[in-house]
Amino acid sequence: MKQRVSPEEYITLLNEELKLHPESVEEMEFIPSPEGARGEDIVGYILKNMNGRKDIFAAVSQKIFLQYRTR
């Protein structure tokens, strides 16, 4: 069973996992969507500074998705 976390915690987990990826760079990050949203107003996340590396974001997103849920 997936662990339930808040939308903010989910994005934090994504960013923590992103930093561990050997090919990520410091500028890459996940941010709330819509930009600036907080709490239950968060409907997803945006990939910032991906530098053409959707593969990194996809791998990180999948890993966190398999372990956690927000709703």
Side-chain angles (χ1 to χ4, degrees):
M1 181 179 228
K2 293 182 184 182
Q3 181 179 342
R4 179 178 232 147
V5 295
S6 73
E8 289 98 343
E9 290 171 314
Y10 193 85
I11 292 172
T12 297
L13 290 165
L14 287 166
N15 284 314
E16 288 173 355
E17 187 65 33
L18 180 61
K19 289 177 186 175
L20 297 175
H21 193 284
E23 297 179 47
S24 70
V25 293
E26 191 173 328
E27 298 83 25
M28 294 177 170
E29 70 177 318
F30 291 92
I31 61 172
S33 174
E35 201 165 346
R38 300 181 72 150
E40 293 300 317
D41 293 333
I42 297 172
V43 296
Y45 51 84
I46 300 168
L47 312 174
K48 190 172 177 186
N49 300 315
M50 77 176 133
N51 302 320
R53 294 302 310 264
K54 289 183 181 181
D55 58 320
I56 294 173
F57 287 101
V60 169
S61 295
Q62 182 174 6
K63 184 171 183 178
I64 297 302
F65 173 77
L66 291 174
Q67 298 175 44
Y68 300 95
R69 66 188 182 109
T70 60
R71 306 206 195 280

